[in-house]
Amino acid sequence: MDISVSFSKTRPPPFSPSLCRQLSLRPNAPQLLRFSRNNGTFRRKPPPTISRPNKLAVTAIQISNLSENEDDFVLEDVPHLTDFLPNLPSYPNPLQKSQGYSIVKKTFVSPEDVVAENVVIQKGSPRGVHFRRTGPREKVYFKPEEVRACIVTCGGLCPGINTVIREIVCGLNNMYNVEDILGIEGGYKGFYSKNTMMLTPKVVNHIHKCGGTFLRTSRGGHDTHKIVDNIEDRGINQVYIIGGDGTHKGAALIYEEVKKRGLQVAVAGIPKTIDNDIAVIDKSFGFDTAVEEAQRAINAAHVEVESVENGVGIVKLMGRYSGFIAMYATLASRDVDCCLIPESPFYLEGRGGLFEFIEQRLKENGHLVIVVAEGAGQEYIAAEVHAADKKDASGNKLLLDIGPWLSDKIKDHFSMSRKMAVNMKYIDPTYMIRAIPSNASDNIYCTLLAHGAVHGAMAGYTGFTVGPVNSKHAYIPIARVTEKQNKVKLTDRMWARLLASTNQPSFVASDQERVEKEIMNI
């Protein structure tokens, strides 16, 4: 949605004393200035006509670096219960009387506060997409004594799920005095096929110290009508859904059905994926823990291969379609010689191939360590075993095991073609990594996610997910995090940093050269 004027209450940049004298400004005071693109200078300009889109207050004193038509600010808003229940009453936020929040200088987030999707822009370029900032609002749309909330976890495991569950329960109870909180057991199908449990701060007090999910989980089992029927029958009016891409697609369907029925039910998502492949947000919870735990496996592989002649260690890490864990674990380790991820095709034989690189490193160092994401090289294995495409209950393609396949290929190549014995060491820590409790960094992050979801639901927002965008937490429309997967960009600096760190070949460029040569020889 395009917005014609700047509405955020923004403090101007510090102007030099000479510029202040030139424009007759008071230093460090907000001013209404317009940047001129023609001559690159600031000049006074009368304030624009103020419109108030999306019920957001507009300030009269602000800095605006916009084009003449001022048509380059976009707010991607999230739904609100009053969109389909216009007469819904509001109430003062109980945090006004909170002992904890009484020390906060600004207790409530202004409706004008937004978070920019892109913070690095060029002078004169459009300001782009923004999202609502998370946090408590001055008005809420639920009476605490009338709230019946529920929490459900879906999909695979990830460090930090229990922390999110705990902090939703404690946040609802300690901040908003909500006492009726249900835990849905066993994923989406738990709404209609499992019993629920009552959740209190005492019940969840220690669960953050354990891995897995206290509520148990499952894949699939999503039946929108049955789920919403159960929500309606039980009198649930706040639904907190913890899960990844497929889970959020289900959450969007639940929101649409709730809206269709005109129910006062807030649907809030908390994005979860160990692969860090959720779009828009900076990273998913559990990712830091996964990278940290991956170091143990890489270190073990490095110790093993250093201790033998021609040692080759392979560590397989999670990363179905996105190689973020493998990339960051490689950068953090400094003991990895080569990193293979789904986004970067590689090949084994020929000039610039993996076999040539391994032979070179063995001659130089006597050993090497390879980190491979589980989704890498799938096309090569499939071509050999002629495997049919199969999917799990969540609709994810079942992957072939790249680790043993690559280990056998390397061993066979050097023993048969090079008459050279190599000592293969293969380590697969994937399920160990995702089953551990979250570390300190992820515990803090999970708390912020949980509190953001609670504040949003109490304020009447629905059909949203919560996450950090450029280090500031925001409410994001569910459609934005399910429309595509976040993947490693081979043209970005982070992948370039990895190539510089490992000094491995850029298989993409080499493969293109190889194909071009083959075409020329035809």
Side-chain angles (χ1 to χ4, degrees), residues 403-416:
W405 178 86
L406 185 59
S407 297
D408 290 342
K409 284 291 181 183
I410 293 172
K411 185 185 295 184
D412 292 344
H413 171 79
F414 283 95
S415 62
M416 297 174 64

Side-chain angles (χ1 to χ4, degrees), residues 365-383:
N365 301 329
H367 64 272
L368 87 159
V369 174
I370 300 171
V371 165
V372 57
E374 60 180 329
Q378 290 296 305
E379 64 276 19
Y380 306 128
I381 317 175

Side-chain angles (χ1 to χ4, degrees), residues 14-86:
F15 297 108
S16 65
S18 60
L19 180 58
C20 289
R21 287 193 298 271
Q22 177 185 345
L23 298 174
S24 301
L25 304 178
R26 289 186 297 113
N28 301 320
Q31 310 294 337
L32 183 63
L33 300 176
R34 188 72 51 79
F35 185 82
S36 174
R37 300 186 182 189
N38 296 328
N39 54 21
T41 61
F42 285 95
R43 58 192 174 90
R44 286 183 176 277
K45 198 162 185 177
T49 302
I50 295 175
S51 61
R52 297 176 181 264
N54 289 319
K55 303 178 182 178
L56 296 173
V58 183
T59 59
I61 298 178
Q62 51 202 308
I63 292 295
S64 181
N65 290 354
L66 302 181
S67 58
E68 291 299 317
N69 60 14
E70 299 180 342
D71 198 25
D72 54 8
F73 187 103
V74 178
L75 173 66
E76 289 204 2
D77 209 353
V78 295
H80 195 273
L81 291 172
T82 55
D83 294 343
F84 56 92
L85 298 171

Side-chain angles (χ1 to χ4, degrees), residues 128-184:
V129 172
H130 296 69
F131 304 102
R132 286 187 183 271
R133 184 185 174 192
T134 63
R137 264 53 180 179
E138 192 170 0
K139 296 291 184 181
V140 297
Y141 286 81
F142 294 93
K143 291 181 178 180
E145 63 271 17
E146 295 178 356
V147 171
R148 167 166 274 201
C150 75
I151 306 170
V152 64
T153 58
C154 308
L157 298 182
C158 178
I161 297 177
N162 283 333
T163 305
V164 176
I165 295 170
R166 182 189 189 278
E167 293 310 314
I168 291 174
V169 173
C170 293
L172 282 168
N173 187 270
N174 297 339
M175 294 188 294
Y176 289 99
N177 303 315
V178 173
E179 296 183 353
D180 195 354
I181 308 169
L182 301 176
I184 306 298

Side-chain angles (χ1 to χ4, degrees), residues 239-461:
V239 182
Y240 296 93
I241 301 172
I242 305 169
D245 176 75
T247 302
H248 272 68
K249 289 177 181 177
L253 294 175
I254 292 172
Y255 157 70
E256 292 294 342
E257 183 63 22
V258 164
K259 179 181 176 182
K260 180 180 177 182
R261 299 188 190 187
L263 304 177
Q264 186 186 346
V265 177
V267 180
I270 297 92
K272 169 204 68 69
T273 170
I274 201 169
D275 291 344
N276 196 40
D277 58 359
I278 293 179
V280 182
I281 66 174
D282 295 345
K283 64 180 177 181
S284 53
F285 73 80
F287 177 71
D288 280 352
T289 305
V291 171
E292 183 178 305
E293 188 66 15
Q295 301 302 291
R296 305 178 191 276
I298 293 172
N299 182 61
H302 187 247
V303 169
E304 286 284 346
V305 299
E306 263 194 326
S307 304
V308 295
E309 184 179 3
N310 292 332
V312 178
I314 294 179
V315 179
K316 188 184 80 171
L317 299 176
M318 285 190 165
R320 181 179 294 274
Y321 303 113
S322 304
F324 286 103
I325 291 179
M327 179 174 72
Y328 277 81
T330 295
L331 280 168
S333 171
R334 306 295 177 180
D335 286 332
V336 178
D337 296 275
C338 184
C339 177
L340 305 175
I341 60 175
E343 296 90 336
S344 179
F346 66 94
Y347 57 97
L348 300 177
E349 300 178 352
R351 184 175 180 180
L354 183 61
F355 289 157
E356 182 184 75
F357 174 72
I358 292 173
E359 185 174 354
Q360 177 186 344
R361 280 297 166 93
L362 289 177
K363 289 179 180 178
E364 292 173 356
N365 301 329
H367 64 272
L368 87 159
V369 174
I370 300 171
V371 165
V372 57
E374 60 180 329
Q378 290 296 305
E379 64 276 19
Y380 306 128
I381 317 175
E384 283 195 8
V385 301
H386 305 289
D389 288 347
K390 296 182 180 179
K391 296 184 178 181
D392 62 19
S394 295
N396 299 313
K397 182 179 177 181
L398 291 175
L399 299 179
L400 301 169
D401 201 339
I402 179 68
W405 178 86
L406 185 59
S407 297
D408 290 342
K409 284 291 181 183
I410 293 172
K411 185 185 295 184
D412 292 344
H413 171 79
F414 283 95
S415 62
M416 297 174 64
S417 301
R418 290 289 185 266
K419 306 299 182 184
M420 174 182 173
V422 294
N423 282 290
M424 294 298 306
K425 308 293 180 182
Y426 175 59
I427 298 177
D428 181 355
T430 50
Y431 288 102
M432 295 173 63
I433 287 174
R434 76 177 199 172
I436 64 171
S438 53
N439 63 11
S441 173
D442 273 321
N443 268 332
I444 296 170
Y445 178 24
C446 289
T447 301
L448 298 180
L449 289 174
H451 286 192
V454 168
H455 291 316
M458 290 298 296
Y461 295 117

